[in-house]
Amino acid sequence: MRNMRISVRRLVEFVLRSGSIDNRMASSNRALEGTKIHQLLQKSAGDEYQAEVSLKLERVVDNIAFLLEGRADGIIKGEIIDEIKTTETPMEEITEDFRPLHWAQLICYGFILAETTKLDKVTLQLTYYQVLDEEIKQFQRVMTRSEMALFVDDLLSKYAVWAKMSAAWEMKRNKTIQELSFPYNSYRRGQRELAIAVYRTAMSGENLFCEAPTGIGKTMSTLFPAMKAIGTGKIDKIFYFTAKTITRQVAEDALEEMRRKGLAARSVTITAKDKICFLDERKCEPDHCQFARGYYDRLNEALFDMLQSEEAITRPIVETYARKHTLCPFELSLDVALFCDAIICDYNYLFDPVIYLKRFFAEGPGKYTFLVDEVHNLVDRARSMFSATLRKSLIMQVKRGLDKKLNKRLLNAINAMNREMISLNKKLTELGKTVYVNKEKLVDWNEAILKFTFVAKEWLPQNNQSESQADVLELYFESLRYVAIAECYDERYVTQVTRSHGDLEIKQLCLDPAFLLSEKLKLGDSSVLFSATLRPIDYYTNVLGGEKDTSRMIFSSPFKQNNMHLLVADFISTKYQMRENSLESVVGALFALISGKKGNYLFFFPSFLYLQNVYELFREKYPEVQVQKQETSMDEERREHFLEMFQADNEETLVGFCVLGGVFSEGVDLRGDRLVGAAIVGVGLAQLNYESDLIKDYYNKSIGRGFDYAYQIPGMNKVLQAVGRVIRGEADRGVVLLIEERFSAERYRALFPAHWNHAKTVKNIHEISREVSEFWQNS
C-alpha cells in the first residue's frame, strides 16, 4: 500500500478547480487581508470558539493510505466548524454557492472532525467578511459523517490516479538515485569535499555558506549530493535558485549529465512570465488571452500528457505543451513543478514576499533543500525584493483617466492617497529638503493604499473596456507590493520620501534583509548558499541570514596560481576627484597590458561615464586597436553579439570596454584564447548616494562597520567577479591588471583571495609592459 500526504487545500484545488486565469482577481496579500481579520473575528466569537485547529486523518482509498491534513479557522462547541473567507466582492453578490471550492474545503475539515471525534453530524459554517464595508455574511449546512465521507472519498478517488503515478515515479527515481555514481571519471580538486559537505548539510537539515572558486564544478558538486539525499527520503525536492539565465542552463546541463548516467529525475525550469508569454502584450485576462481562458479546464490533461513523456522540462518543452493544450506557459511551468524533483528558478520564487511560490511555501516548511547559486548577488536583490516604491505621477495618471461620475468610489480611494502625498510634500517644503527619511512606517499613507487595493480589486473586473484599465491595474499591483512590504516593516527599515523632477516618490527601504531571508530559508529543511566569490564569508553569512554557528567553508582555486599573472598598478589614483587628471595614465597602462600579446581583452570601469571618457581617449591615441563597448541598455541579442566577437582565432587584438558589476563582469565564460586578459579600473565603490549612506549609518550603529558593508565589500566583490572572467579552465593563461592605488592598502589586500597572494606591484607603465612581455614569453 502506498502512502500519500496531501493538504486539504491542495486536494480540493487540484481536483475541483475550473475556469480561467484572471490577474485582475489576484488576491491581496493573505497576511494583510486574511490573518488579521481572522484573528479579529475569532477573538470576538467568544470563549467557546477554538481558533486555528490542526486537523489530520488517515484515509485509505483505492489502496492508497492518504494522510489528509489542514487547519480549520475555528471549531465551536466541538461540533460546528467555521471557515472564514475575506472578500472584496459586494455583499449582495455573495450567495451560498458563491465559491463551491470553499464548501469543498469546509466539508473536508468537517469530515476529519467528525471522523476523529466520532460525531454523527457536523454543522458547517462558511463566514464571509466583506473588507470594504466590514460586513459579515454566514451560511450553514448540516451534514452527516456518511455524507461527508462520500464527498471526501470521491475527491481522494479522483486524486488517486495522480497519487499512484507519483508513487510509481518515486520508486523508479529512488532506485536510479541509489545506483547513480558521480557522473565524471574523477573529482576536481576540492570537488569531492564540497559534495560531501553538501550531502551532510542536506541530511542534517542545516545551512552552509560556501565559497567555491571557478573550476571546482560547484553546480554538479551541489546538485549530485542533493539528489542523493532525495534517494534516502530525507528530502522531497531540490530548489536551485539563481539570478541569471546562463546559470540556470548550467544546472540543466548538470541534471542532464546525471540522466546520461542512468538517473530518472524530473526537473522544471521556471522562466519569468514576461519572457515566456506567447502574446505581444501580456494581459492575463480570459477576454484577452486564449491561453488564460478556460486554463483550469484543460490543465490536468496537459499535466498527465507531459508527465508521461518528459523528464527535463525546459523552457522549449513547456512552450511545446502549452501550445499543444492552449495553456499559459508560465502557469503550466508552476503547476507541473508540483510533480518535479528539481525546480530551477530565480531567487524571487523563494525570497520575494509577493512573487514567491505559494503552492510550495504558503502552508509552511517542506522537506526541501535550497541550493542558492551566485549568492553574492542576493544581497542587493534581497534589499530590492523587500523594498517597495509608489510614485505620485502614477497615482495622478490614474486619477486623470477616470470619469468622476462613473468611478466615484475608486476616485475617492485615489484622492485619499493623493492627500497623503500632498501632506508629505508639504513637510519636505517646510524642512527645505528634497529627501525626508522616517524610521517608522507611515500609518495613514499605508492605510490609504490598503483601502485602494480593496476598491480596485472590485473595480477591475467590472470595467473591462475602460481606457483606464491598464493604468489602474499597474497601480493596483504596485500597491499590493507596497502593502505586502508594510507587513515586513520593522527596525531594519526606513521610509524615504523623495521629491525629484516634479515627482514625489515614497519608498519603504529595507536596510538589512538578513532576518527576512533567514525566515524564508526556514521554509526548507536545509540550504546551501554558494558562490565563486564570497569574501569575507562572515559578511555574507551576516547579511544573508546566517547565524553565528552557521557552517562556513572556503575552498582554494583548483587552477595553477601562476596561470594568471596578477599586476597591481598602485601608482594611479582613480578616485572620483582624480579621474580627469589620471586619464592619460590609465589609457597608457591599458595599452601596456595588451602590448605583450595579441588577443582579446576586457576592461572594466566603475561607471558608464568614466568608461566613455577612457574609451574616447583610448581610441584617439590607439586607433589601430579594435574596440567595442557596453551600452547603457543592451537587449539579449546585442549582448550575445558583443560576446560573439571574442573568438579564439581573431587575428588582431580586440578590447571590450565594460562596466564593473554589469552583465559582462560575471557569468561570462570565455574559455581559452577567447579571453587572455582583463583590467579593472578602480576598487568598485559605488558613488556616494543617499540610500547607501542610510545603509552605512545602519551598520555603523549595529556593528560599527558601515562603510565596509555599504561600499567597500560590495565594490570589491565586483572586482573579484570581473577578475574571474580570465581563467575559466585548467589550461587557460592570462594577465590581469588592477589599476588603483587603494589596491595596495591593507583594508583591500585583506579581501584578496588566497590564490592572489602572488600579486605583483608595478610602479610605472614601463614595468607593466615588461611584466606582461616576460609572462607571455615564458608561457
Side-chain angles (χ1 to χ4, degrees):
M1 186 179 295
R2 305 296 183 198
N3 297 314
M4 171 64 67
R5 181 180 178 181
I6 188 169
S7 70
V8 168
R9 180 187 293 272
R10 180 178 173 188
L11 173 67
V12 168
E13 290 181 351
F14 188 85
V15 175
L16 298 180
R17 60 189 169 182
S18 61
S20 305
I21 297 169
D22 192 342
N23 70 351
R24 297 166 302 179
M25 300 304 293
S27 176
S28 306
N29 188 291
R30 178 174 171 81
L32 294 164
E33 69 173 32
T35 304
K36 289 181 178 178
I37 293 171
H38 282 209
Q39 292 171 350
L40 179 66
L41 296 179
Q42 289 161 347
K43 188 175 181 179
S44 66
D47 296 337
E48 293 182 326
Y49 193 101
Q50 187 181 0
E52 301 297 325
V53 182
S54 294
L55 297 170
K56 289 184 180 181
L57 178 69
E58 289 188 5
R59 188 75 173 173
V60 178
V61 175
D62 290 353
N63 202 37
I64 296 177
F66 286 99
L67 175 60
L68 190 59
E69 54 190 6
R71 184 183 296 273
D73 290 327
I75 296 177
I76 308 167
K77 298 179 181 179
E79 58 186 24
I80 301 173
I81 193 157
D82 186 35
E83 180 68 12
I84 302 170
K85 298 295 182 183
T86 54
T87 180
E88 292 90 7
T89 303
M91 193 59 83
E92 60 270 18
E93 296 181 20
I94 300 175
T95 62
E96 184 172 354
D97 297 320
F98 173 59
R99 290 281 188 270
L101 262 65
H102 294 169
W103 280 113
Q105 188 176 345
L106 186 51
I107 292 169
C108 290
Y109 291 150
F111 176 63
I112 298 175
L113 177 65
E115 191 74 4
T116 53
T117 60
K118 306 304 179 186
L119 292 172
D120 292 330
K121 61 183 180 181
V122 170
T123 299
L124 308 175
Q125 178 172 287
L126 193 53
T127 300
Y128 287 104
Y129 181 89
Q130 214 283 347
V131 294
L132 292 172
D133 300 321
E134 299 183 352
E135 295 181 8
I136 296 173
K137 184 179 281 190
Q138 290 181 326
F139 303 97
Q140 286 190 346
R141 294 178 184 175
V142 178
M143 293 186 70
T144 65
R145 193 194 324 177
S146 59
E147 288 173 333
M148 292 185 290
L150 286 173
F151 182 85
V152 172
D153 286 350
D154 180 60
L155 287 179
L156 292 173
S157 179
K158 289 175 179 175
Y159 190 79
V161 62
W162 299 90
K164 290 177 180 178
M165 181 176 68
S166 295
W169 173 258
E170 186 177 322
M171 284 187 62
K172 176 183 178 181
R173 179 202 66 198
N174 288 351
K175 184 175 184 297
T176 65
I177 289 175
Q178 289 159 13
E179 295 172 352
L180 181 69
S181 58
F182 191 69
Y184 302 125
N185 293 331
S186 61
Y187 287 93
R188 298 177 185 176
R189 191 173 76 176
Q191 191 170 31
R192 181 180 178 83
E193 290 78 8
L194 175 56
I196 291 171
V198 172
Y199 182 76
R200 287 175 176 168
T201 299
M203 294 300 291
S204 63
E206 297 179 349
N207 296 334
L208 170 67
F209 282 78
C210 182
E211 182 179 82
T214 299
I216 280 183
K218 54 188 170 66
T219 307
M220 185 63 79
S221 302
T222 52
L223 277 170
F224 172 73
M227 193 62 69
K228 280 290 189 179
I230 284 184
T232 69
K234 175 63 180 175
I235 61 173
D236 292 335
K237 293 183 188 295
I238 301 165
F239 286 84
Y240 195 98
F241 297 106
T242 182
K244 292 183 170 57
T245 302
I246 189 170
T247 320
R248 291 195 277 278
Q249 177 67 56
V250 174
E252 289 176 354
D253 292 344
L255 288 167
E256 197 57 38
E257 188 66 35
M258 285 187 269
R259 290 190 185 101
R260 284 192 283 269
K261 298 297 183 180
L263 173 68
R266 290 197 188 108
S267 63
V268 62
T269 302
I270 298 175
T271 305
K273 185 183 291 189
D274 286 332
K275 289 186 177 181
I276 202 171
C277 180
F278 291 146
L279 304 184
D280 293 333
E281 178 191 1
R282 180 170 70 78
K283 198 173 183 181
C284 305
E285 301 169 13
D287 295 338
H288 180 82
C289 177
Q290 62 177 324
F291 303 101
R293 188 166 52 250
Y295 174 87
Y296 293 109
D297 301 328
R298 301 182 297 275
L299 173 60
N300 286 1
E301 180 184 351
L303 288 176
F304 197 85
D305 184 15
M306 184 185 292
L307 295 171
Q308 292 298 306
S309 307
E310 307 294 343
E311 288 188 29
I313 304 174
T314 58
R315 176 177 175 173
I317 296 296
V318 171
E319 291 176 336
T320 297
Y321 282 87
R323 291 192 183 279
K324 178 180 178 181
H325 294 275
T326 320
L327 296 172
C328 168
F330 177 71
E331 292 293 335
L332 179 58
S333 68
L334 299 184
D335 284 311
V336 78
L338 290 168
F339 297 91
C340 290
D341 310 302
I343 299 164
I344 304 167
C345 57
D346 189 88
Y347 298 149
N348 56 16
Y349 294 110
L350 171 63
F351 298 110
D352 192 293
V354 176
I355 302 173
Y356 76 98
L357 295 174
K358 296 174 179 62
R359 65 199 70 205
F360 290 108
F361 306 132
E363 295 184 2
K367 292 169 62 178
Y368 312 135
T369 287
F370 299 147
L371 305 177
V372 190
D373 196 1
E374 302 293 355
V375 74
H376 64 276
N377 287 306
L378 186 56
V379 180
D380 287 340
R381 280 288 301 276
R383 286 201 180 99
S384 176
M385 286 187 285
F386 291 120
S387 299
T389 302
L390 277 173
R391 292 173 290 108
K392 183 179 175 69
S393 56
L394 178 57
I395 293 171
M396 296 307 295
Q397 183 175 324
V398 172
K399 180 179 178 178
R400 285 191 293 267
L402 292 173
D403 186 288
K404 294 180 181 179
K405 295 181 180 178
L406 298 178
N407 306 285
K408 188 174 181 180
R409 197 173 189 181
L410 184 61
L411 271 170
N412 286 341
I414 290 172
N415 284 332
M417 295 169 70
N418 190 40
R419 282 195 297 271
E420 291 298 323
M421 282 197 147
I422 290 172
S423 176
L424 290 167
N425 191 38
K426 184 179 178 181
K427 187 161 191 173
L428 279 173
T429 302
E430 291 172 352
L431 293 172
K433 296 181 178 180
T434 57
V435 181
Y436 164 68
V437 174
N438 194 52
K439 291 184 179 180
E440 304 300 324
K441 65 171 69 175
L442 305 178
V443 177
D444 293 341
W445 162 246
N446 291 0
E447 185 65 26
I449 300 168
L450 181 59
K451 288 182 179 178
F452 165 76
T453 65
F454 293 153
V455 178
K457 185 176 180 181
E458 177 187 354
W459 183 91
L460 283 163
Q462 296 174 1
N463 293 270
N464 291 332
Q465 305 306 315
S466 172
E467 293 181 359
S468 298
Q469 172 84 196
D471 289 340
V472 174
L473 192 63
E474 181 183 357
L475 180 57
Y476 173 61
F477 281 123
E478 292 291 333
S479 298
L480 283 182
R481 167 167 284 280
Y482 197 95
V483 167
I485 295 304
E487 283 297 291
C488 303
Y489 202 103
D490 59 13
E491 69 276 7
R492 304 169 188 88
Y493 275 84
V494 295
T495 301
Q496 180 176 308
V497 184
T498 306
R499 183 171 54 202
S500 176
H501 305 293
D503 203 356
L504 191 74
E505 176 183 281
I506 303 176
K507 181 173 186 176
Q508 296 176 114
L509 174 63
C510 179
L511 302 173
D512 178 7
F515 172 74
L516 296 169
L517 291 173
S518 69
E519 291 298 296
K520 291 291 187 178
L521 291 175
K522 290 175 184 176
L523 293 171
D525 193 56
S526 57
S527 61
V528 181
L529 300 92
F530 57 100
S531 175
T533 58
L534 215 58
R535 185 169 298 267
I537 200 164
D538 289 346
Y539 159 80
Y540 286 100
T541 307
N542 189 10
V543 298
L544 294 175
E547 305 291 340
K548 288 184 178 179
D549 60 349
T550 301
S551 297
R552 304 157 170 82
M553 296 187 74
I554 299 176
F555 291 88
S556 58
S557 173
F559 301 139
K560 293 180 180 178
Q561 187 181 55
N562 291 332
N563 282 7
M564 182 179 78
H565 196 40
L566 180 62
L567 303 175
V568 177
D570 66 356
F571 63 94
I572 300 173
S573 173
T574 67
K575 291 178 180 177
Y576 187 75
Q577 63 270 26
M578 297 294 294
R579 287 180 183 175
E580 188 173 343
N581 294 334
S582 63
L583 274 179
E584 291 276 354
S585 298
V586 169
V587 168
L590 293 175
F591 184 74
L593 175 69
I594 67 175
S595 63
K597 177 183 173 69
K598 288 185 178 180
N600 303 322
Y601 296 82
L602 288 173
F603 297 162
F604 295 99
F605 300 86
S607 71
F608 278 103
L609 177 60
Y610 193 21
L611 179 157
Q612 183 67 31
N613 291 338
V614 177
Y615 174 81
E616 290 175 357
L617 183 59
F618 190 93
R619 287 194 65 187
E620 179 186 325
K621 295 195 70 171
Y622 308 108
E624 71 278 12
V625 180
Q626 185 181 0
V627 294
Q628 60 176 359
K629 65 183 173 74
Q630 179 182 350
E631 303 293 343
T632 52
S633 59
M634 299 176 74
D635 57 27
E636 197 166 329
E637 183 178 346
R638 291 171 68 194
R639 292 199 298 266
E640 289 178 359
H641 176 72
F642 184 97
L643 293 175
E644 284 171 2
M645 297 292 290
F646 289 81
Q647 296 300 320
D649 56 357
N650 284 348
E651 293 183 0
E652 298 297 329
T653 291
L654 169 67
V655 174
F657 285 71
C658 305
V659 170
L660 202 58
V663 292
F664 300 119
S665 68
E666 57 180 283
V668 172
D669 198 20
L670 300 173
R671 291 178 177 265
D673 287 340
R674 292 191 66 192
L675 187 70
V676 299
I680 290 80
V681 183
V683 292
L685 297 184
Q687 286 189 21
L688 295 177
N689 62 82
Y690 206 93
E691 287 191 8
S692 293
D693 281 347
L694 287 172
I695 295 169
K696 180 186 72 172
D697 293 342
Y698 170 84
Y699 283 112
N700 266 337
K701 291 177 182 177
S702 59
I703 60 173
R705 297 189 63 190
F707 181 78
D708 294 356
Y709 273 42
Y711 289 102
Q712 185 190 0
I713 296 173
M716 194 60 190
N717 191 277
K718 296 175 186 177
V719 173
L720 296 171
Q721 283 289 324
V723 172
R725 298 315 96 209
V726 178
I727 305 296
R728 308 297 298 172
E730 293 181 7
D732 289 4
R733 293 178 65 80
V735 292
V736 172
L737 178 62
L738 305 179
I739 301 176
E740 166 57 40
E741 62 182 8
R742 285 169 287 183
F743 281 122
S744 285
E746 180 56 34
R747 65 181 303 160
Y748 285 94
R749 286 292 176 120
L751 298 176
F752 280 21
H755 59 278
W756 283 20
N757 62 12
H758 68 311
K760 189 166 186 178
T761 302
V762 286
K763 293 300 183 181
N764 53 57
I765 290 174
H766 173 72
E767 286 188 18
I768 298 173
S769 299
R770 187 188 69 226
E771 288 290 334
V772 169
S773 297
E774 290 179 358
F775 174 77
W776 290 120
Q777 289 170 9
N778 296 327
S779 296

